[in-house]
């Protein structure tokens, strides 16, 4: 099946620094990738939809200048948390949409746990 | 706007018994429906989906789900539960023509040995 990887799997950073999270589709090309945020014991909240070669579409309430998304190729999207603060600590999950061959499914990465001190 | 409801925060089932995890949805048009499972500190694993066709959908690990249009439900089922099925289960919906998948709040399934 389709595999999505994320790097790093966990990161600890100091308040005020920036952190970049990578999301890769390993065995398929994804024109659309998604970034989610999950708080403990809660559901996934969609942050933004990322289309290759164009600007990301952010959900209401998500600061686009704080959560920078780049989708430079069909297999890579990155999320950069700029000037991170403790309230940004969360589990960040990306997903990639597969539409080829009549299939239309999202496959998820393993997630990145961000802890901001 | 589309939405998904999972009315149960937790479901407890004895090993070997059948299990059901409930899901209802609200969407304009014909929905795309999904079930995902999440193990601790892990991403989501795809279980099954309904787009069109047979209302009974079979997925991974022996799970299946039944699409019921009149009741706007998509309950997840398994005939015989395993302890290893214990995890967090998410139902999700996507409206036709939309990129976004909207998730329910999740149901924690606890299989008792």
């Amino acid at each position: 099946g389709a595999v999505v990887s994320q790097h790093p799997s966990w990161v600890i950073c100091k308040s005020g620094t920036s952190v970049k999270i990578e999301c890769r589709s390993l065995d398929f090309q994804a024109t659309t990738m998604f970034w989610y945020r999950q708080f403990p014991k809660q559901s996934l909240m969609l942050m933004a939809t990322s289309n290759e070669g164009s600007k990301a579409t952010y959900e209401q309430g998500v600061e686009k200048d704080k959560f920078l998304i780049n989708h430079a190729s069909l297999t890579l999207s990155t999320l950069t948390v700029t000037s991170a603060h403790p309230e940004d600590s969360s589990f960040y999950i990306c997903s990639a949409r597969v539409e080829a061959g009549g299939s239309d499914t999202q496959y998820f990465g393993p997630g990145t746990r961000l802890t901001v001190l | 706007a589309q939405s998904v409801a999972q009315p149960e925060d937790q479901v407890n089932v004895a090993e070997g018994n059948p299990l059901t995890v409930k899901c209802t949805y609200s969407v304009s048009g014909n929905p795309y429906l999904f079930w995902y499972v999440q193990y601790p500190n892990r991403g989501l694993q795809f279980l099954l989906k309904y787009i069109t066709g047979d209302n009974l959908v079979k997925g991974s690990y022996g799970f299946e789900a039944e699409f019921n249009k009149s009741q706007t439900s998509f309950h997840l089922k398994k005939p015989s539960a395993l302890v290893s099925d214990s995890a967090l289960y998410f139902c999700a919906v996507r409206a036709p023509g939309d990129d976004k998948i909207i998730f329910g709040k999740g149901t924690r399934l606890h299989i008792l040995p």
Side-chain angles (χ1 to χ4, degrees):
Chain A
V3 178
V4 177
S5 71
Q6 277 184 244
H7 178 80
S9 55
W10 59 271
V11 57
I12 301 173
C13 70
K14 293 182 179 180
S15 184
T17 60
S18 295
V19 175
K20 179 185 284 189
I21 303 170
E22 291 186 349
C23 176
R24 293 181 186 273
S25 57
L26 297 186
D27 50 0
F28 64 98
Q29 294 183 328
T31 54
T32 307
M33 288 184 170
F34 305 85
W35 287 95
Y36 293 83
R37 183 173 181 177
Q38 185 181 31
F39 291 103
K41 298 185 178 180
Q42 293 190 29
S43 188
L44 280 71
M45 292 182 56
L46 180 64
M47 299 174 66
T49 302
S50 168
N51 289 295
E52 185 265 339
S54 63
K55 291 183 179 181
T57 302
Y58 290 81
E59 294 299 300
Q60 191 173 11
V62 178
E63 299 176 58
K64 62 180 181 181
D65 294 330
K66 181 169 185 61
F67 298 100
L68 300 178
I69 292 172
N70 184 282
H71 193 161
S73 78
L74 289 172
T75 59
L76 174 64
S77 176
T78 60
L79 168 68
T80 301
V81 183
T82 62
S83 186
H85 290 283
E87 58 265 30
D88 298 324
S89 298
S90 190
F91 194 51
Y92 291 88
I93 304 175
C94 74
S95 72
R97 184 177 178 183
V98 176
E99 297 179 76
S103 172
D104 190 354
T105 305
Q106 273 184 240
Y107 293 93
F108 287 77
T112 297
R113 182 159 303 282
L114 170 64
T115 302
V116 184
L117 303 177
Chain B
Q2 61 264 38
S3 65
V4 178
Q6 292 181 244
E8 304 150 317
D9 290 336
Q10 180 165 315
V11 171
N12 298 319
V13 177
E15 186 177 25
N17 283 3
L19 69 88
T20 299
V21 183
K22 295 179 181 177
C23 172
T24 58
Y25 65 90
S26 174
V27 69
S28 298
N30 296 318
Y32 295 172
L33 295 159
F34 306 84
W35 275 100
Y36 289 86
V37 59
Q38 185 180 34
Y39 295 97
N41 296 311
R42 302 288 296 276
L44 273 66
Q45 294 181 32
F46 171 75
L47 280 180
L48 51 80
K49 67 180 178 183
Y50 171 84
I51 294 179
T52 187
D54 194 350
N55 289 346
L56 183 64
V57 179
K58 294 188 182 296
S60 306
Y61 311 119
F63 284 94
E64 59 188 28
E66 186 167 12
F67 171 62
N68 188 317
K69 189 172 184 177
S70 63
Q71 297 185 4
T72 62
S73 67
F74 191 56
H75 302 330
L76 181 70
K77 300 182 180 184
K78 186 172 181 179
S80 179
L82 300 173
V83 173
S84 57
D85 293 330
S86 299
L88 187 57
Y89 289 80
F90 290 100
C91 181
V93 65
R94 189 169 79 230
D98 199 345
D99 275 339
K100 301 185 294 186
I101 284 182
I102 303 301
F103 285 85
K105 65 177 182 174
T107 298
R108 187 162 298 282
L109 180 61
H110 188 203
I111 307 301
L112 308 170

